[in-house]
Tab-separated table of all heavy atoms in Angstrom:
chain	number	residue	atom	x	y	z
A	30	MET	N	-42.838	28.805	-97.441
A	30	MET	CA	-44.180	29.395	-97.513
A	30	MET	C	-44.357	30.150	-98.831
A	30	MET	O	-45.423	30.201	-99.397
A	30	MET	CB	-44.365	30.364	-96.333
A	30	MET	CG	-45.759	30.952	-96.266
A	30	MET	SD	-45.837	32.377	-95.183
A	30	MET	CE	-45.810	31.601	-93.578
A	31	LYS	N	-43.270	30.748	-99.259
A	31	LYS	CA	-43.388	31.662	-100.389
A	31	LYS	C	-42.743	31.116	-101.660
A	31	LYS	O	-43.385	31.008	-102.689
A	31	LYS	CB	-42.750	33.000	-100.002
A	31	LYS	CG	-43.037	34.094	-100.993
A	31	LYS	CD	-42.567	35.428	-100.425
A	31	LYS	CE	-42.552	36.486	-101.503
A	31	LYS	NZ	-41.874	37.694	-101.056
A	32	CYS	N	-41.463	30.750	-101.586
A	32	CYS	CA	-40.754	30.405	-102.814
A	32	CYS	C	-40.547	28.906	-102.989
A	32	CYS	O	-40.057	28.478	-104.014
A	32	CYS	CB	-39.405	31.127	-102.854
A	32	CYS	SG	-38.283	30.577	-101.573
A	33	GLY	N	-40.894	28.106	-101.954
A	33	GLY	CA	-40.775	26.672	-102.086
A	33	GLY	C	-39.376	26.121	-101.909
A	33	GLY	O	-39.137	24.942	-102.123
A	34	LYS	N	-38.439	26.948	-101.490
A	34	LYS	CA	-37.061	26.537	-101.249
A	34	LYS	C	-37.008	25.571	-100.062
A	34	LYS	O	-37.808	25.675	-99.131
A	34	LYS	CB	-36.256	27.803	-100.934
A	34	LYS	CG	-34.787	27.591	-100.655
A	34	LYS	CD	-34.127	28.966	-100.438
A	34	LYS	CE	-32.725	28.838	-99.891
A	34	LYS	NZ	-32.697	28.366	-98.487
A	35	THR	N	-36.082	24.621	-100.094
A	35	THR	CA	-35.869	23.742	-98.954
A	35	THR	C	-35.239	24.539	-97.816
A	35	THR	O	-34.309	25.307	-98.029
A	35	THR	CB	-34.926	22.586	-99.337
A	35	THR	OG1	-35.487	21.905	-100.454
A	35	THR	CG2	-34.785	21.612	-98.181
A	36	LEU	N	-35.782	24.355	-96.609
A	36	LEU	CA	-35.379	25.192	-95.482
A	36	LEU	C	-34.432	24.474	-94.531
A	36	LEU	O	-34.494	23.259	-94.385
A	36	LEU	CB	-36.629	25.610	-94.701
A	36	LEU	CG	-37.662	26.399	-95.487
A	36	LEU	CD1	-38.879	26.649	-94.622
A	36	LEU	CD2	-37.074	27.708	-95.969
A	37	THR	N	-33.597	25.262	-93.874
A	37	THR	CA	-32.742	24.726	-92.818
A	37	THR	C	-33.447	24.904	-91.475
A	37	THR	O	-34.401	25.673	-91.353
A	37	THR	CB	-31.403	25.484	-92.764
A	37	THR	OG1	-31.674	26.844	-92.375
A	37	THR	CG2	-30.716	25.490	-94.118
A	38	ASN	N	-32.951	24.217	-90.463
A	38	ASN	CA	-33.485	24.386	-89.113
A	38	ASN	C	-33.378	25.824	-88.649
A	38	ASN	O	-34.252	26.331	-87.947
A	38	ASN	CB	-32.725	23.494	-88.128
A	38	ASN	CG	-33.296	22.090	-88.101
A	38	ASN	OD1	-34.433	21.872	-88.505
A	38	ASN	ND2	-32.506	21.152	-87.622
A	39	ASP	N	-32.286	26.481	-89.025
A	39	ASP	CA	-32.091	27.879	-88.626
A	39	ASP	C	-33.183	28.766	-89.202
A	39	ASP	O	-33.696	29.664	-88.533
A	39	ASP	CB	-30.731	28.397	-89.108
A	39	ASP	CG	-29.588	27.853	-88.260
A	39	ASP	OD1	-29.862	27.200	-87.233
A	39	ASP	OD2	-28.437	28.088	-88.638
A	40	GLU	N	-33.528	28.521	-90.456
A	40	GLU	CA	-34.566	29.330	-91.101
A	40	GLU	C	-35.924	29.101	-90.436
A	40	GLU	O	-36.688	30.043	-90.218
A	40	GLU	CB	-34.632	29.005	-92.594
A	40	GLU	CG	-33.446	29.582	-93.351
A	40	GLU	CD	-33.360	29.088	-94.794
A	40	GLU	OE1	-33.686	27.906	-95.047
A	40	GLU	OE2	-32.960	29.863	-95.643
A	41	ILE	N	-36.213	27.869	-90.117
A	41	ILE	CA	-37.468	27.571	-89.429
A	41	ILE	C	-37.463	28.216	-88.049
A	41	ILE	O	-38.447	28.814	-87.614
A	41	ILE	CB	-37.659	26.038	-89.327
A	41	ILE	CG1	-37.891	25.467	-90.724
A	41	ILE	CG2	-38.823	25.703	-88.396
A	41	ILE	CD1	-37.875	23.940	-90.776
A	42	GLY	N	-36.322	28.155	-87.371
A	42	GLY	CA	-36.228	28.722	-86.024
A	42	GLY	C	-36.417	30.227	-86.014
A	42	GLY	O	-37.144	30.759	-85.166
A	43	ILE	N	-35.759	30.916	-86.928
A	43	ILE	CA	-35.854	32.376	-86.922
A	43	ILE	C	-37.267	32.806	-87.317
A	43	ILE	O	-37.780	33.807	-86.809
A	43	ILE	CB	-34.764	33.014	-87.837
A	43	ILE	CG1	-34.630	34.514	-87.545
A	43	ILE	CG2	-35.017	32.785	-89.302
A	43	ILE	CD1	-34.023	34.861	-86.219
A	44	HIS	N	-37.901	32.075	-88.186
A	44	HIS	CA	-39.293	32.371	-88.518
A	44	HIS	C	-40.162	32.277	-87.264
A	44	HIS	O	-40.964	33.156	-86.976
A	44	HIS	CB	-39.797	31.399	-89.593
A	44	HIS	CG	-41.213	31.672	-90.012
A	44	HIS	ND1	-41.532	32.176	-91.245
A	44	HIS	CD2	-42.391	31.492	-89.353
A	44	HIS	CE1	-42.854	32.320	-91.324
A	44	HIS	NE2	-43.394	31.908	-90.204
A	45	LYS	N	-39.957	31.209	-86.493
A	45	LYS	CA	-40.743	31.036	-85.266
A	45	LYS	C	-40.490	32.179	-84.296
A	45	LYS	O	-41.401	32.663	-83.635
A	45	LYS	CB	-40.390	29.699	-84.601
A	45	LYS	CG	-40.977	28.510	-85.320
A	45	LYS	CD	-40.627	27.232	-84.584
A	45	LYS	CE	-41.339	26.035	-85.195
A	45	LYS	NZ	-40.916	24.777	-84.570
A	46	LYS	N	-39.223	32.586	-84.208
A	46	LYS	CA	-38.878	33.668	-83.285
A	46	LYS	C	-39.507	34.993	-83.707
A	46	LYS	O	-39.978	35.762	-82.879
A	46	LYS	CB	-37.354	33.854	-83.254
A	46	LYS	CG	-36.658	32.917	-82.292
A	46	LYS	CD	-36.840	33.410	-80.865
A	46	LYS	CE	-35.930	32.636	-79.918
A	46	LYS	NZ	-36.232	32.980	-78.512
A	47	MET	N	-39.485	35.245	-84.992
A	47	MET	CA	-39.832	36.592	-85.451
A	47	MET	C	-41.285	36.715	-85.900
A	47	MET	O	-41.841	37.807	-85.886
A	47	MET	CB	-38.908	37.017	-86.595
A	47	MET	CG	-37.466	37.129	-86.121
A	47	MET	SD	-36.390	37.853	-87.340
A	47	MET	CE	-37.098	39.489	-87.513
A	48	ILE	N	-41.893	35.640	-86.310
A	48	ILE	CA	-43.249	35.728	-86.864
A	48	ILE	C	-44.260	35.048	-85.964
A	48	ILE	O	-45.185	35.674	-85.480
A	48	ILE	CB	-43.320	35.094	-88.271
A	48	ILE	CG1	-42.220	35.642	-89.181
A	48	ILE	CG2	-44.707	35.298	-88.879
A	48	ILE	CD1	-42.454	37.058	-89.651
A	49	ASN	N	-44.065	33.753	-85.744
A	49	ASN	CA	-45.123	32.999	-85.067
A	49	ASN	C	-44.557	31.660	-84.605
A	49	ASN	O	-44.157	30.832	-85.414
A	49	ASN	CB	-46.274	32.768	-86.057
A	49	ASN	CG	-47.371	31.921	-85.457
A	49	ASN	OD1	-47.307	31.518	-84.289
A	49	ASN	ND2	-48.377	31.640	-86.252
A	50	ARG	N	-44.522	31.486	-83.298
A	50	ARG	CA	-43.922	30.286	-82.735
A	50	ARG	C	-44.656	29.016	-83.154
A	50	ARG	O	-44.069	27.947	-83.261
A	50	ARG	CB	-43.898	30.401	-81.205
A	50	ARG	CG	-43.223	29.257	-80.508
A	50	ARG	CD	-43.014	29.552	-79.041
A	50	ARG	NE	-41.783	30.293	-78.815
A	50	ARG	CZ	-40.618	29.698	-78.595
A	50	ARG	NH1	-40.532	28.395	-78.542
A	50	ARG	NH2	-39.539	30.415	-78.413
A	51	GLY	N	-45.968	29.130	-83.392
A	51	GLY	CA	-46.742	27.945	-83.750
A	51	GLY	C	-46.881	27.723	-85.240
A	51	GLY	O	-47.692	26.930	-85.674
A	52	ALA	N	-46.078	28.428	-86.026
A	52	ALA	CA	-46.208	28.345	-87.476
A	52	ALA	C	-45.946	26.931	-87.976
A	52	ALA	O	-45.163	26.187	-87.393
A	52	ALA	CB	-45.232	29.304	-88.139
A	53	THR	N	-46.618	26.590	-89.063
A	53	THR	CA	-46.357	25.296	-89.687
A	53	THR	C	-45.817	25.469	-91.104
A	53	THR	O	-45.416	24.518	-91.747
A	53	THR	CB	-47.636	24.437	-89.745
A	53	THR	OG1	-48.665	25.188	-90.396
A	53	THR	CG2	-48.097	24.053	-88.355
A	54	GLU	N	-45.835	26.702	-91.603
A	54	GLU	CA	-45.209	27.011	-92.881
A	54	GLU	C	-44.251	28.165	-92.636
A	54	GLU	O	-44.517	29.038	-91.814
A	54	GLU	CB	-46.248	27.438	-93.921
A	54	GLU	CG	-47.177	26.329	-94.337
A	54	GLU	CD	-48.155	26.802	-95.400
A	54	GLU	OE1	-48.929	27.720	-95.111
A	54	GLU	OE2	-48.103	26.263	-96.515
A	55	PHE	N	-43.142	28.175	-93.379
A	55	PHE	CA	-42.060	29.082	-93.021
A	55	PHE	C	-41.494	29.791	-94.237
A	55	PHE	O	-41.512	29.268	-95.353
A	55	PHE	CB	-40.934	28.297	-92.331
A	55	PHE	CG	-41.442	27.460	-91.196
A	55	PHE	CD1	-41.723	26.125	-91.396
A	55	PHE	CD2	-41.657	28.016	-89.955
A	55	PHE	CE1	-42.223	25.351	-90.359
A	55	PHE	CE2	-42.151	27.253	-88.911
A	55	PHE	CZ	-42.433	25.920	-89.114
A	56	PHE	N	-40.945	30.979	-93.977
A	56	PHE	CA	-40.186	31.696	-94.993
A	56	PHE	C	-38.743	31.203	-94.986
A	56	PHE	O	-38.187	30.890	-93.936
A	56	PHE	CB	-40.139	33.196	-94.678
A	56	PHE	CG	-41.420	33.932	-94.928
A	56	PHE	CD1	-41.903	34.834	-94.009
A	56	PHE	CD2	-42.123	33.755	-96.110
A	56	PHE	CE1	-43.073	35.546	-94.237
A	56	PHE	CE2	-43.296	34.453	-96.350
A	56	PHE	CZ	-43.767	35.357	-95.407
A	57	CYS	N	-38.120	31.168	-96.144
A	57	CYS	CA	-36.667	31.024	-96.176
A	57	CYS	C	-36.066	32.368	-95.760
A	57	CYS	O	-36.766	33.371	-95.607
A	57	CYS	CB	-36.189	30.613	-97.563
A	57	CYS	SG	-36.278	31.933	-98.783
A	58	LEU	N	-34.746	32.389	-95.587
A	58	LEU	CA	-34.099	33.590	-95.050
A	58	LEU	C	-34.325	34.799	-95.949
A	58	LEU	O	-34.566	35.903	-95.473
A	58	LEU	CB	-32.604	33.317	-94.896
A	58	LEU	CG	-31.929	33.961	-93.672
A	58	LEU	CD1	-32.677	33.646	-92.389
A	58	LEU	CD2	-30.495	33.516	-93.579
A	59	ARG	N	-34.256	34.590	-97.245
A	59	ARG	CA	-34.426	35.722	-98.156
A	59	ARG	C	-35.840	36.288	-98.090
A	59	ARG	O	-36.038	37.488	-98.011
A	59	ARG	CB	-34.099	35.296	-99.596
A	59	ARG	CG	-34.303	36.447	-100.572
A	59	ARG	CD	-34.023	36.024	-101.990
A	59	ARG	NE	-32.628	35.628	-102.164
A	59	ARG	CZ	-32.099	35.309	-103.330
A	59	ARG	NH1	-32.833	35.340	-104.412
A	59	ARG	NH2	-30.849	34.948	-103.412
A	60	CYS	N	-36.829	35.404	-98.119
A	60	CYS	CA	-38.217	35.867	-98.071
A	60	CYS	C	-38.527	36.492	-96.715
A	60	CYS	O	-39.279	37.465	-96.639
A	60	CYS	CB	-39.166	34.711	-98.350
A	60	CYS	SG	-39.012	34.038	-100.016
A	61	LEU	N	-37.949	35.941	-95.653
A	61	LEU	CA	-38.182	36.513	-94.330
A	61	LEU	C	-37.561	37.908	-94.239
A	61	LEU	O	-38.148	38.824	-93.665
A	61	LEU	CB	-37.590	35.601	-93.249
A	61	LEU	CG	-37.865	36.039	-91.808
A	61	LEU	CD1	-39.353	35.997	-91.485
A	61	LEU	CD2	-37.107	35.156	-90.830
A	62	ALA	N	-36.394	38.067	-94.818
A	62	ALA	CA	-35.743	39.375	-94.828
A	62	ALA	C	-36.626	40.382	-95.558
A	62	ALA	O	-36.815	41.514	-95.104
A	62	ALA	CB	-34.370	39.281	-95.495
A	63	GLU	N	-37.175	39.968	-96.678
A	63	GLU	CA	-38.079	40.836	-97.429
A	63	GLU	C	-39.299	41.190	-96.585
A	63	GLU	O	-39.687	42.353	-96.463
A	63	GLU	CB	-38.548	40.064	-98.669
A	63	GLU	CG	-38.554	40.850	-99.953
A	63	GLU	CD	-38.807	39.905	-101.120
A	63	GLU	OE1	-39.986	39.614	-101.376
A	63	GLU	OE2	-37.826	39.449	-101.740
A	64	PHE	N	-39.876	40.195	-95.970
A	64	PHE	CA	-41.103	40.372	-95.203
A	64	PHE	C	-40.889	41.287	-94.008
A	64	PHE	O	-41.769	42.063	-93.649
A	64	PHE	CB	-41.603	38.996	-94.740
A	64	PHE	CG	-42.917	39.026	-94.021
A	64	PHE	CD1	-44.101	39.160	-94.732
A	64	PHE	CD2	-42.961	38.916	-92.643
A	64	PHE	CE1	-45.313	39.186	-94.065
A	64	PHE	CE2	-44.176	38.948	-91.969
A	64	PHE	CZ	-45.352	39.085	-92.685
A	65	THR	N	-39.731	41.202	-93.376
A	65	THR	CA	-39.473	41.985	-92.161
A	65	THR	C	-38.683	43.253	-92.476
A	65	THR	O	-38.226	43.942	-91.576
A	65	THR	CB	-38.706	41.147	-91.117
A	65	THR	OG1	-37.470	40.710	-91.702
A	65	THR	CG2	-39.505	39.929	-90.688
A	66	HIS	N	-38.494	43.555	-93.762
A	66	HIS	CA	-37.726	44.733	-94.172
A	66	HIS	C	-36.343	44.732	-93.549
A	66	HIS	O	-35.840	45.757	-93.092
A	66	HIS	CB	-38.486	46.023	-93.819
A	66	HIS	CG	-39.877	46.044	-94.384
A	66	HIS	ND1	-40.110	46.165	-95.740
A	66	HIS	CD2	-41.079	45.917	-93.794
A	66	HIS	CE1	-41.434	46.123	-95.932
A	66	HIS	NE2	-42.026	45.969	-94.787
A	67	SER	N	-35.745	43.548	-93.499
A	67	SER	CA	-34.412	43.397	-92.950
A	67	SER	C	-33.514	42.839	-94.054
A	67	SER	O	-33.878	42.869	-95.229
A	67	SER	CB	-34.465	42.452	-91.743
A	67	SER	OG	-33.216	42.348	-91.143
A	68	THR	N	-32.343	42.334	-93.693
A	68	THR	CA	-31.465	41.713	-94.670
A	68	THR	C	-31.115	40.309	-94.189
A	68	THR	O	-31.230	39.999	-93.000
A	68	THR	CB	-30.152	42.503	-94.824
A	68	THR	OG1	-29.425	42.416	-93.593
A	68	THR	CG2	-30.423	43.953	-95.171
A	69	GLU	N	-30.661	39.464	-95.127
A	69	GLU	CA	-30.273	38.108	-94.737
A	69	GLU	C	-29.144	38.140	-93.711
A	69	GLU	O	-29.110	37.338	-92.783
A	69	GLU	CB	-29.826	37.322	-95.970
A	69	GLU	CG	-30.987	36.970	-96.896
A	69	GLU	CD	-30.508	36.177	-98.104
A	69	GLU	OE1	-29.976	35.086	-97.902
A	69	GLU	OE2	-30.655	36.679	-99.238
A	70	ASP	N	-28.196	39.074	-93.897
A	70	ASP	CA	-27.076	39.167	-92.953
A	70	ASP	C	-27.558	39.490	-91.544
A	70	ASP	O	-27.080	38.910	-90.568
A	70	ASP	CB	-26.075	40.240	-93.408
A	70	ASP	CG	-25.164	39.715	-94.493
A	70	ASP	OD1	-25.155	38.485	-94.724
A	70	ASP	OD2	-24.461	40.535	-95.105
A	71	ARG	N	-28.496	40.412	-91.458
A	71	ARG	CA	-29.012	40.775	-90.134
A	71	ARG	C	-29.760	39.615	-89.504
A	71	ARG	O	-29.679	39.390	-88.296
A	71	ARG	CB	-29.907	42.008	-90.227
A	71	ARG	CG	-29.096	43.294	-90.269
A	71	ARG	CD	-29.961	44.508	-90.495
A	71	ARG	NE	-30.901	44.726	-89.388
A	71	ARG	CZ	-31.826	45.686	-89.397
A	71	ARG	NH1	-31.916	46.498	-90.432
A	71	ARG	NH2	-32.639	45.838	-88.381
A	72	LEU	N	-30.480	38.862	-90.316
A	72	LEU	CA	-31.197	37.701	-89.778
A	72	LEU	C	-30.205	36.642	-89.303
A	72	LEU	O	-30.412	36.012	-88.273
A	72	LEU	CB	-32.141	37.118	-90.831
A	72	LEU	CG	-33.327	38.013	-91.202
A	72	LEU	CD1	-34.133	37.389	-92.320
A	72	LEU	CD2	-34.220	38.249	-89.981
A	73	ARG	N	-29.113	36.471	-90.066
A	73	ARG	CA	-28.104	35.501	-89.630
A	73	ARG	C	-27.483	35.918	-88.304
A	73	ARG	O	-27.204	35.087	-87.447
A	73	ARG	CB	-27.007	35.349	-90.689
A	73	ARG	CG	-27.436	34.471	-91.832
A	73	ARG	CD	-26.283	33.951	-92.656
A	73	ARG	NE	-26.797	33.485	-93.937
A	73	ARG	CZ	-26.891	34.269	-95.003
A	73	ARG	NH1	-26.443	35.497	-94.972
A	73	ARG	NH2	-27.393	33.800	-96.124
A	74	GLU	N	-27.250	37.215	-88.138
A	74	GLU	CA	-26.731	37.714	-86.856
A	74	GLU	C	-27.697	37.386	-85.722
A	74	GLU	O	-27.289	37.005	-84.624
A	74	GLU	CB	-26.525	39.232	-86.913
A	74	GLU	CG	-25.194	39.632	-87.495
A	74	GLU	CD	-25.094	41.140	-87.672
A	74	GLU	OE1	-25.768	41.874	-86.917
A	74	GLU	OE2	-24.356	41.571	-88.577
A	75	ARG	N	-28.976	37.554	-85.974
A	75	ARG	CA	-29.972	37.262	-84.939
A	75	ARG	C	-29.974	35.774	-84.620
A	75	ARG	O	-30.117	35.389	-83.457
A	75	ARG	CB	-31.358	37.717	-85.383
A	75	ARG	CG	-31.451	39.209	-85.605
A	75	ARG	CD	-32.865	39.657	-85.745
A	75	ARG	NE	-33.561	39.547	-84.457
A	75	ARG	CZ	-34.550	40.369	-84.084
A	75	ARG	NH1	-34.949	41.312	-84.881
A	75	ARG	NH2	-35.134	40.222	-82.925
A	76	ILE	N	-29.845	34.946	-85.662
A	76	ILE	CA	-29.786	33.502	-85.433
A	76	ILE	C	-28.610	33.180	-84.508
A	76	ILE	O	-28.747	32.434	-83.544
A	76	ILE	CB	-29.657	32.747	-86.772
A	76	ILE	CG1	-30.987	32.806	-87.529
A	76	ILE	CG2	-29.249	31.294	-86.525
A	76	ILE	CD1	-30.911	32.308	-88.969
A	77	GLU	N	-27.433	33.772	-84.808
A	77	GLU	CA	-26.248	33.507	-83.977
A	77	GLU	C	-26.471	34.018	-82.546
A	77	GLU	O	-26.040	33.399	-81.578
A	77	GLU	CB	-25.006	34.162	-84.583
A	77	GLU	CG	-24.556	33.502	-85.884
A	77	GLU	CD	-24.475	31.974	-85.768
A	77	GLU	OE1	-23.967	31.466	-84.748
A	77	GLU	OE2	-24.942	31.289	-86.701
A	78	HIS	N	-27.131	35.162	-82.445
A	78	HIS	CA	-27.443	35.735	-81.133
A	78	HIS	C	-28.323	34.773	-80.327
A	78	HIS	O	-28.043	34.477	-79.166
A	78	HIS	CB	-28.129	37.087	-81.346
A	78	HIS	CG	-28.596	37.734	-80.076
A	78	HIS	ND1	-27.733	38.396	-79.230
A	78	HIS	CD2	-29.827	37.827	-79.516
A	78	HIS	CE1	-28.425	38.875	-78.196
A	78	HIS	NE2	-29.695	38.551	-78.339
A	79	PHE	N	-29.381	34.275	-80.942
A	79	PHE	CA	-30.279	33.358	-80.242
A	79	PHE	C	-29.552	32.060	-79.902
A	79	PHE	O	-29.734	31.492	-78.828
A	79	PHE	CB	-31.514	33.046	-81.097
A	79	PHE	CG	-32.465	34.196	-81.241
A	79	PHE	CD1	-32.932	34.573	-82.491
A	79	PHE	CD2	-32.907	34.903	-80.134
A	79	PHE	CE1	-33.827	35.628	-82.634
A	79	PHE	CE2	-33.797	35.966	-80.261
A	79	PHE	CZ	-34.252	36.328	-81.511
A	80	ARG	N	-28.706	31.596	-80.826
A	80	ARG	CA	-27.974	30.359	-80.582
A	80	ARG	C	-27.046	30.533	-79.377
A	80	ARG	O	-26.928	29.640	-78.532
A	80	ARG	CB	-27.171	29.951	-81.821
A	80	ARG	CG	-26.803	28.464	-81.825
A	80	ARG	CD	-25.720	28.113	-82.821
A	80	ARG	NE	-25.857	28.721	-84.123
A	80	ARG	CZ	-26.603	28.235	-85.113
A	80	ARG	NH1	-27.269	27.133	-84.971
A	80	ARG	NH2	-26.646	28.865	-86.263
A	81	ALA	N	-26.391	31.700	-79.319
A	81	ALA	CA	-25.478	31.981	-78.214
A	81	ALA	C	-26.215	31.995	-76.877
A	81	ALA	O	-25.640	31.701	-75.830
A	81	ALA	CB	-24.758	33.308	-78.455
A	82	GLN	N	-27.492	32.369	-76.914
A	82	GLN	CA	-28.301	32.368	-75.703
A	82	GLN	C	-28.753	30.968	-75.325
A	82	GLN	O	-29.399	30.786	-74.285
A	82	GLN	CB	-29.551	33.235	-75.894
A	82	GLN	CG	-29.278	34.722	-75.936
A	82	GLN	CD	-30.576	35.494	-76.116
A	82	GLN	OE1	-31.497	35.034	-76.792
A	82	GLN	NE2	-30.654	36.673	-75.532
A	83	GLY	N	-28.481	30.011	-76.186
A	83	GLY	CA	-28.886	28.639	-75.902
A	83	GLY	C	-30.301	28.330	-76.324
A	83	GLY	O	-30.918	27.389	-75.837
A	84	CYS	N	-30.853	29.130	-77.225
A	84	CYS	CA	-32.214	28.909	-77.689
A	84	CYS	C	-32.338	27.531	-78.348
A	84	CYS	O	-31.538	27.179	-79.214
A	84	CYS	CB	-32.630	29.985	-78.677
A	84	CYS	SG	-34.285	29.708	-79.327
A	85	LEU	N	-33.347	26.790	-77.939
A	85	LEU	CA	-33.494	25.417	-78.415
A	85	LEU	C	-33.898	25.330	-79.874
A	85	LEU	O	-33.790	24.277	-80.487
A	85	LEU	CB	-34.534	24.669	-77.552
A	85	LEU	CG	-34.158	24.504	-76.084
A	85	LEU	CD1	-35.275	23.799	-75.345
A	85	LEU	CD2	-32.860	23.731	-75.938
A	86	LEU	N	-34.363	26.437	-80.448
A	86	LEU	CA	-34.745	26.421	-81.852
A	86	LEU	C	-33.533	26.389	-82.782
A	86	LEU	O	-33.667	26.138	-83.979
A	86	LEU	CB	-35.580	27.671	-82.182
A	86	LEU	CG	-36.967	27.738	-81.523
A	86	LEU	CD1	-37.599	29.083	-81.794
A	86	LEU	CD2	-37.864	26.636	-82.044
A	87	PHE	N	-32.362	26.683	-82.244
A	87	PHE	CA	-31.166	26.833	-83.099
A	87	PHE	C	-30.036	25.916	-82.654
A	87	PHE	O	-28.943	26.353	-82.362
A	87	PHE	CB	-30.679	28.286	-83.086
A	87	PHE	CG	-31.748	29.250	-83.497
A	87	PHE	CD1	-32.421	29.985	-82.562
A	87	PHE	CD2	-32.074	29.396	-84.840
A	87	PHE	CE1	-33.415	30.868	-82.929
A	87	PHE	CE2	-33.068	30.279	-85.220
A	87	PHE	CZ	-33.735	31.022	-84.272
A	88	GLN	N	-30.313	24.631	-82.550
A	88	GLN	CA	-29.273	23.709	-82.115
A	88	GLN	C	-28.437	23.211	-83.267
A	88	GLN	O	-28.887	23.212	-84.392
A	88	GLN	CB	-29.891	22.536	-81.392
A	88	GLN	CG	-30.302	22.935	-79.994
A	88	GLN	CD	-30.930	21.780	-79.226
A	88	GLN	OE1	-31.553	20.911	-79.815
A	88	GLN	NE2	-30.769	21.785	-77.931
B	10	ZN	ZN1	-38.140	32.085	-99.976
């Protein structure tokens, strides 16, 4: 959405979780961290957390 970087499924998934499930454009992890005043490491932890819960966005 912002920097034009190629995204991974994880990045698309965490964007949906944190911003908008119906989104069609997405932040990469760095831009999302900036936008949410978080860090890439914290976002990665959340991705692992959601994956551990069996969330279908993070297969
Ligand atoms: Zn970006």
Side-chain angles (χ1 to χ4, degrees):
M30 184 195 284
K31 191 171 167 191
C32 66
K34 180 177 169 290
T35 304
L36 300 176
T37 65
N38 275 340
D39 285 353
E40 287 171 324
I41 292 171
I43 195 70
H44 182 110
K45 285 182 173 175
K46 275 283 191 188
M47 296 189 63
I48 309 287
N49 176 2
R50 184 170 275 270
T53 54
E54 292 182 299
F55 308 97
F56 286 135
C57 73
L58 216 52
R59 179 182 297 185
C60 295
L61 185 64
E63 224 170 83
F64 184 77
T65 59
H66 306 290
S67 184
T68 66
E69 289 181 62
D70 280 348
R71 279 174 64 184
L72 292 176
R73 281 198 198 91
E74 275 174 27
R75 297 192 70 149
I76 288 170
E77 291 311 317
H78 176 78
F79 289 130
R80 201 195 316 276
Q82 288 180 326
C84 178
L85 297 178
L86 293 173
F87 304 102
Q88 283 180 329

